[in-house]
Amino acid sequence: MTDGKKMKLAVLTSGGDSAGMNAVVRAVVKTAIIKGCETWIVREGYEGLVRGNSEGNRHTYSLEKGTSSPRLKEHPDDFVHNLRYGDGELLKDGTGDHPGGRTLRGRYIVRVGWDDVRGWFAEGGTLIGTARSTTFRTRDGRLTAAHNMIKEGIDALVVCGGDGSLTGADVFRAEWPGLVTELRQQGKITEDQASKHAHLKIVGLVGSIDNDMSMTDLTIGAPTALHRICEAIDNINSTAFSHSRAFVLEVMGRHCGWLALMAGVSCGADFIFIPESPPDADRWEDEMCQMIQKHRDVGKRKTIVIVAEGAIDSKLQPIHAEFVKNVLSERLGLDTRVTTLGHTQRGGKPCAMDRILPTLQGVEAVEALLESTPDTPSYMIGVRENKITRVPLMEAVKMTREVAQAIAEKDFPKAMSLRDPEFCESLEGFYATAVLETEPKLPHHLRMRVAIMHVGAPAGGMNAATRAAVRYCIRQGHKPFAIHNGFVGLLDDNVHQLSWLGVDNWMTRGGSELGTNRKLPDIDLGAVAAKFQQYNFHAFIMIGGFEAFTSLLLLEQGRKHYPAFNIPMVHLPATISNNVPLTEFSLGSDTSLNALVDACDAIKQSASASRNRVFVVETQGGKCGYIATMGALATGACIVYTPERGIDLDMLRNDVKYLKRRYALDAKGKSEGRLVLRNEVSSDVYTTDVITKMFKEEGGKLFDSRSASLGHTLQGGIPSPMDRARAVRLSLKCMAFIEHHHQELLKQQARSKQAPPESAAVITIQGTAVQWVPVQDMVEHADMKNRRGEACVVGRHARPRRGPRRAPADPGEGE
């Protein structure tokens, strides 16, 4: 591994802006400082590299003692030395001048410290600026950029941008040895400089709201853009329903239909237009009108059509929202309006996922640079399912450009194949849930009576998953039955068949429309079996948390006594606690994290206004610390307490010392409010109230303390788009699973069918894949007493879910 203390690292954002870029910059800067690197930011993207620093302003970041934000040279330890360079406020404010005389004018490559990127989480766009540089596209421009980097001693570069920006980064690295040689020949650098900077280390992160990069499931900014779109559609839904109107929405996506597709899935749209899968040029008007008329005929009062700005037909002719509106108005007589969301999709504060993912990707980017050698390729940091990945940068760019080429050549199947698997599955899922078939797809003997139940506490996405299962059932010819109020409702015969239109508005509804409770089937297992037999269920889907997992285990074990349980049975994890064993994602956890982020942003605003206030925020989560841990990562909390690690006196003593030291190091009059997150059952003795009072007592004149309990607000209101989209995808996989096992059971000759153990399973997300795990195999990975997994992972990287409360060398998040 490269010696981190010798690496001088710069980060820049290029191309279009997207939410989450500030989180990338923040993560790169702080991780690099922890690793012993010097950190720099480049303002205005590649243009800033070309402009560099004017000679009079190159070293103004090195402030003298006595200024309003000193460099603290009197402290010998490295982390204090790297605490701040005093330009954080200027970076936030743009190129303004500081009353003390500091300025960013003429400075584009700026040394930064820990506190200079403090509080950047909740900011949209990119605070260090971005620009499309025509000069950098020329060799002379790149020669100048190389000279500017060498003058500052920088030998590593993190680039966050689109495919054009990442291609420019790789070209820059490939030309670097020649550029250094040319600069040496021109006498612009010394032999020593040429030797020290013979190799340029580069890593790329994809910032694009379109999610148009191949070899990664999500690009930075795409989840937040989807949030903005879904918020707009959710608002439009009510007026569309009231007036029985049709709305045609144009969303961004010139070359990629991800936003239009995921918005269509998440909001229950009637029809979508995306460039990767264009409709038939000669028939799409008829097909769209027939599909929408069917929806109207069964009583649907609203119509939503989503058009990507790059939408085309099979002959590559553009499809515009205004034309779609005219078709609906003239052929169906619908009162139709057009809404173009435009750049509102880029704006707003980042959602939880656009804070967590960029942070983890920024950490991985620094690790990749530290491990870089002249022989390793330039890496792009991406994500697959729930895992941060490294892929060769140019392979990803090449595959991305092949999509556009395939579309231009009208090879649409190839264009779809080059997108990530989730994209293809989501498109299939959209048609499976949006198209109302006149005739069932399956023959009569393969049709099932499918029972659907919610178990445990309510969670965002439960209703979306149910809606998808019901729509798929009706499409195939199955009969979907809702069991209300869990197993208690089943015993009370609270069961009824669901309809296509009856679940139409369930996508945006939080909580549980079916009703739920924590009662397990062992309240009367024999009676439960009798009800299964009475209603002649052929398959059973449970949507819920740890109670649903436990219920499935009990039902599977009961097969040897009750033949009625010898049917395919599945568990789709849905719980804000994310405590189901083996899976890294449960429906509702993303919604909960967004609710926590919104609450903590407001709390932090109050804390920061008071300058020296620490808020101890209590979160839900049971005996699983997922929400507290990931919430701390998403909000910039400086301390987090979880049940897995517990709380003891030594821990509290160290935390008090840490807070005192951190506030003592703040620039006078510039202290920021700080957050401490505590899971509700981290300790029976050291409660939120006790910790709050302890911090208040020990803080003295440095800081005071307040507490806030978020309680059931963390269950969220409207489910997040990610929870909705994943609910549809995973629910349809559950339906495919039970169809497969039902058909296998039909092949058995015996009168009494015997379902194999693998037919009772939990759908999980593990690393880079969706996997089915038989419920019996789940037990060895479960901590049944504490209702959580034994060896789980945090978010999207392969580190222990119950990770350290702070990085060991952390100078203090202190957001």
Side-chain angles (χ1 to χ4, degrees), residues 616-632:
V616 182
V617 181
E618 183 177 289
T619 74
Q620 286 192 326
K623 293 186 178 180
C624 176
Y626 178 85
I627 288 295
T629 302
M630 301 305 286

Side-chain angles (χ1 to χ4, degrees), residues 26-27 31 41 161 168 175 225 264 278 305 337 466 539 644 735 765 783:
R26 175 185 176 277
T31 304
I41 60 92
E175 291 182 350
V305 177
R337 308 295 167 89
T466 304
E644 291 84 353
M735 288 303 307
I765 295 178
D783 180 349

Side-chain angles (χ1 to χ4, degrees), residues 248-267:
V248 181
L249 288 97
E250 182 185 287
V251 302
M252 285 185 171
R254 280 178 292 177
H255 305 295
C256 179
W258 187 85
L259 286 174
L261 170 58
M262 301 307 284
V265 171
S266 302
C267 298

Side-chain angles (χ1 to χ4, degrees), residues 14-29:
S14 179
D17 66 305
S18 58
M21 282 184 164
N22 292 321
V24 167
V25 175
R26 175 185 176 277
V28 168
V29 168

